[in-house]
Amino acid sequence: MNESHRLDLLLSRSAQQSPDNVAVEDPGRSSLSYAELRAVADTIAAALRKAGVREGDRVGICAPKSVGTVAAIFGILTAKAAYVPVDYSAPGERNSYIFNDCNVRAIVTTERLLASLFNGDGSFAVSDKVEIPRADDLDLIIATRVNPSKSEVSVPPGLAYILYTSGSTGKPKGVMHSHATALAFVDWCSQEFKPTAADRFSSHAPFHFDLSILDLYVPMQHGATIVLIGEERGKQPLQLAPLIATSRITIWYSTPSILRLLVEFGKMDRHDYSALRIVHYAGEVFPPKHQRALRKFWPHPRYYNLYGPTETNVCTFDVVTEVPPDDYKGPLPIGRVCSGDKTRVVDLDGRIAKLGTEGELQVTGGSVMLGYWNLPERNAIAFETDSDGVRWYKTGDVVIEDATGNFLFHGRRDRMVKRRGYRVELGEIEAALNRHPQISEAGVIAVPDAESGVLIKAFVAWNGEKAPSIVDLKGIAAAGLLAYMIPDRFAVLDRLPKTSTDKLDYQKLRELP
Amino acid sequence: MTQRQDVKSTVRDYILKEFLPGESPEALQDSTELITRGILDSLATLKLVSFIEERFNIALEPHETDADYLNTIDSIAALVESKTKR
C-alpha cells in the first residue's frame, strides 16, 4: 500500500501545520488540540505495541464517545492495526461475538464495560490506562487478550477498520475498509465541500456507524474541529438543538430521523443557527414533508443527500435544492456517482438496464470495501466480476437512472429495512427470537407506516405453558438485539403459516392483523 | 384515588395504548422496566415526555428525560409528584 496515504497521517500533518487548533471538542466536558491529540494517540499506539499488537491486528473499541475514544481510533491506526468499534450499549453477548469473530488482540474500553464482555470470563486483562490531558473523569483502559491465538484469516493489506452491520443469518457481518477506500471518500468530500480550518463538524453518528467516517477524517484533513455529540445527548432533541447553536456547528451530518426529532421535539425556534453552512443526511429516505419542516428553521444551509451502503462509503450524492410537494409519493433522487466510483444498473435478467427502467445499483471503484471479514460465501454473493475482470459490489438497492445521470431510489430487493438510518436484517431479529428456548419459531415482517416509516411485526410460536405477554417478548428481544431492532408489534400464534414447500409464508403473515 | 395512583394509571393507559397495543394491562406492572427492557425506544420516550408535560402541566429538564427517571411507572409517578408539589 501507499505508505503516505494513511488516515493517521491526516492527523500528523495537521498537528504539524496547526498544532494549536482544536482537533476535537466534547462540549462542556473536554477538548484536545491537534498537538495534544497527536501526543495522546502516540501514547496509545505505544501502549498497544507494548501489549503485543502488531500490524494488521484488530483492536476493539467499546466505550461511549469522548475525546479519549477519538484518540484511541488514531492510536490504533498509528500502531498499524485496524479498529473495530461497537455499540457500548448493545448486549454484551453481541459485542463479544463481534470481538471474537475478528479475533481482536486488544480492546479499548472501561472496567465496567469489560465486565459485560465475554461473560466476564477473564479472557481479556487490563494492561494499561489511557491518560487524557484535562479529562480526569475518562476512565478508558486497554484490555489485552490473555491467551492470544493467531488468526487463521488472512488480513488484507492496509486494513483500517471493520464496521459490523446487521446480518440476515442472525450474526452481524464485518465490513472491511482500508485506509485507501476511506480516503477515496474523504478526498472527494474535501473537493466537494471545500472545508477550512474554521469549520466545525458535528460528530453525531456513533463510531460503529459509517457516517462517522466523514465526521472523523474530513476535519482532520483541514485542521478543522470535530464537535462530539455523545450517544445520550444525541438522542435528546431538547439538548441537541441548543448544542448545535452554541457550539456554532458549520457542517452537520446525521440520519433524517434525528432531524425529524429535532423539528418535532427540539423547540428549535429558541436558538440561532447562523453558523450552519452545510447539512448532510444519509442512511434512509427523508420524507418531503419533514424536509420542508426543517427548512423553516434552517433555510440557509446547502443540503446534501449522501447515499451509499456501509460497503461503499458514499457512492452517490444529490445537492437538494428543491423539495418535492408534501403529498409526493414517488421515488426520491439519490443523485449522481461520486468518490471516484463507477456505477451500473443491472436488471433481473442480469443485463444492463435501459435508462429509465428499474435495476439493481452496482458499484465499483476506490471507495468500495475490501470485503466481509471471514465470510467467503457472502463475498462471493456480494460481488460480481464482469467480462473485463471488474469487480462490482451489488448494493441490493433498486434504482432508475434518468437521462441526466441521476439515480432515483426505488427500494430493496431483499429483507433489509432501514430504521432510524440503521440497517436491520429481519432475519437477524428472527434468529435472536429463535434462540429463546420457549420460542419454537419466529417470523418477522416489516410494513410501511405513515408516522415512523416502517413498522416491524414479529409473530412467534410459543412452546411454554403460559403464553407470554408483549412485555415479556419485548424483554426477550431486548436481551439479544440492539434497541432499534426490537419489533414494534408482537403476536403469539399456535403455529406459523407455511407455504406448500413448508417454508414460512410471509404473505400470510402480512394478512394477519 | 390518591394523586400518585392517578398519575400511574394515566401513564399506564397511555403506554398501553401507544406502545403496547393489544397487551393486557396486568402485564405492565409499576415496576416493569420500560427503557431497559425494550418497551420504550428513544422516539417513544420523547412522545411519553411530551404527553407527561402536557397532561400534568409540568416541564421536565433535559436530564430528567432518560432511564434514570423514566424507566418504570413508579419512577415516573415520583418524578411527576416532585414537580407538582412545589
Side-chain angles (χ1 to χ4, degrees), chain A residues 23-186:
Chain A
V24 53
E25 180 179 310
D26 190 355
R29 293 181 184 145
S30 46
S31 70
L32 293 175
S33 70
Y34 272 89
E36 287 170 331
L37 179 61
R38 182 66 273 171
V40 179
D42 282 338
T43 311
I44 294 172
L48 290 170
R49 287 197 200 97
K50 200 181 83 189
V53 171
R54 297 291 172 260
E55 181 167 355
D57 281 351
R58 280 74 53 213
V59 177
I61 300 177
C62 180
K65 206 183 255 190
S66 70
V67 297
T69 40
V70 174
I73 287 172
F74 283 94
I76 293 165
L77 294 172
T78 303
K80 302 201 168 166
Y83 69 95
V84 185
V86 297
D87 178 352
Y88 74 93
S89 65
E93 180 197 346
R94 192 175 195 272
N95 288 341
S96 306
Y97 170 81
I98 290 171
F99 288 156
N100 276 334
D101 182 54
C102 64
N103 193 16
V104 296
R105 187 75 165 77
I107 304 170
V108 179
T109 182
T110 65
E111 297 251 17
R112 190 179 62 77
L113 286 165
L114 182 60
S116 76
L117 294 168
F118 311 102
N119 299 315
D121 67 0
S123 52
F124 281 77
V126 180
S127 58
D128 239 308
K129 190 175 174 340
V130 177
E131 305 282 348
I132 311 286
R134 303 182 306 283
D136 303 333
D137 56 331
L138 291 180
D139 45 5
L140 288 182
I141 53 161
I142 296 171
T144 314
R145 208 179 268 279
V146 177
N147 292 309
S149 59
K150 189 145 171 49
S151 182
E152 300 295 314
V153 182
S154 77
V155 180
L159 181 67
Y161 55 88
I162 307 178
L163 302 180
Y164 276 77
T165 69
S166 186
S168 55
T169 57
K171 299 290 185 198
K173 54 185 195 285
V175 176
M176 297 189 288
H177 276 284
S178 66
H179 290 264
T181 61
L183 281 164
F185 168 53
V186 170

Side-chain angles (χ1 to χ4, degrees), chain A residues 24-353:
Chain A
V24 53
E25 180 179 310
D26 190 355
R29 293 181 184 145
S30 46
S31 70
L32 293 175
S33 70
Y34 272 89
E36 287 170 331
L37 179 61
R38 182 66 273 171
V40 179
D42 282 338
T43 311
I44 294 172
L48 290 170
R49 287 197 200 97
K50 200 181 83 189
V53 171
R54 297 291 172 260
E55 181 167 355
D57 281 351
R58 280 74 53 213
V59 177
I61 300 177
C62 180
K65 206 183 255 190
S66 70
V67 297
T69 40
V70 174
I73 287 172
F74 283 94
I76 293 165
L77 294 172
T78 303
K80 302 201 168 166
Y83 69 95
V84 185
V86 297
D87 178 352
Y88 74 93
S89 65
E93 180 197 346
R94 192 175 195 272
N95 288 341
S96 306
Y97 170 81
I98 290 171
F99 288 156
N100 276 334
D101 182 54
C102 64
N103 193 16
V104 296
R105 187 75 165 77
I107 304 170
V108 179
T109 182
T110 65
E111 297 251 17
R112 190 179 62 77
L113 286 165
L114 182 60
S116 76
L117 294 168
F118 311 102
N119 299 315
D121 67 0
S123 52
F124 281 77
V126 180
S127 58
D128 239 308
K129 190 175 174 340
V130 177
E131 305 282 348
I132 311 286
R134 303 182 306 283
D136 303 333
D137 56 331
L138 291 180
D139 45 5
L140 288 182
I141 53 161
I142 296 171
T144 314
R145 208 179 268 279
V146 177
N147 292 309
S149 59
K150 189 145 171 49
S151 182
E152 300 295 314
V153 182
S154 77
V155 180
L159 181 67
Y161 55 88
I162 307 178
L163 302 180
Y164 276 77
T165 69
S166 186
S168 55
T169 57
K171 299 290 185 198
K173 54 185 195 285
V175 176
M176 297 189 288
H177 276 284
S178 66
H179 290 264
T181 61
L183 281 164
F185 168 53
V186 170
D187 288 344
W188 172 79
C189 289
S190 288
Q191 286 164 29
E192 178 64 32
F193 311 136
K194 300 185 175 54
T196 71
D199 271 314
R200 296 169 60 78
F201 286 71
S202 67
S203 161
H204 180 270
F207 296 140
H208 61 90
F209 194 13
D210 70 332
L211 273 68
S212 65
I213 302 308
L214 188 159
D215 305 338
L216 282 167
Y217 303 109
V218 180
M220 278 295 130
Q221 200 161 35
H222 302 275
T225 300
I226 303 169
V227 180
L228 294 181
I229 298 166
E231 291 82 351
E232 287 309 314
R233 272 181 190 168
K235 281 189 271 191
Q236 301 283 351
L238 272 179
Q239 296 184 44
L240 201 47
L243 184 69
I244 295 167
T246 56
S247 307
R248 302 204 55 77
I249 284 170
T250 62
I251 300 183
W252 174 265
Y253 188 21
S254 74
T255 60
S257 290
I258 191 66
L259 293 170
R260 277 182 63 179
L261 294 184
L262 269 173
V263 170
E264 201 173 337
F265 300 102
K267 305 201 165 100
M268 290 277 276
D269 51 353
R270 293 179 177 177
H271 311 286
D272 165 21
Y273 309 95
S274 52
L276 259 186
R277 68 179 191 89
I278 293 179
V279 173
H280 305 295
Y281 56 85
E284 63 190 333
V285 169
F286 197 175
K289 185 172 83 175
H290 300 294
Q291 289 189 46
R292 190 164 285 106
L294 176 65
R295 282 174 193 243
K296 271 188 208 138
F297 299 107
W298 292 354
H300 55 292
R302 260 165 93 81
Y303 284 84
Y304 284 88
N305 180 13
L306 304 182
Y307 162 86
T310 304
E311 286 85 345
T312 67
N313 278 296
V314 166
C315 60
T316 75
F317 79 109
D318 185 41
V319 184
V320 189
T321 48
E322 271 175 66
V323 181
D326 283 1
D327 57 359
Y328 178 77
K329 293 268 191 316
L332 288 166
I334 53 172
R336 58 185 69 244
V337 66
C338 65
S339 303
D341 290 336
K342 286 198 180 100
T343 50
R344 64 178 193 179
V345 182
V346 177
D347 69 18
L348 278 177
D349 300 324
R351 286 188 292 254
I352 300 297

Side-chain angles (χ1 to χ4, degrees), chain A residues 383-426:
Chain A
F383 290 101
E384 187 171 301
T385 304
D386 68 17
S387 53
D388 297 327
V390 178
R391 196 178 73 144
W392 296 88
Y393 171 69
K394 303 194 282 189
T395 64
D397 284 334
V398 178
V399 299
I400 285 181
E401 184 174 2
D402 72 12
T404 62
N406 274 296
F407 294 108
L408 297 164
F409 178 74
H410 276 256
R412 288 290 301 173
R413 272 196 172 164
D414 53 17
R415 297 187 68 222
M416 189 186 90
V417 297
K418 287 285 188 120
R419 259 202 157 182
R420 286 182 239 147
Y422 287 96
R423 284 153 61 151
V424 179
E425 289 283 3
L426 300 177

Side-chain angles (χ1 to χ4, degrees), chain B residues 16-32:
Chain B
L16 284 168
K17 179 168 127 301
E18 289 291 319
F19 312 119
L20 294 169
E23 181 63 303
S24 63
E26 315 83 72
L28 185 60
Q29 299 290 315
D30 290 351
S31 59
T32 302

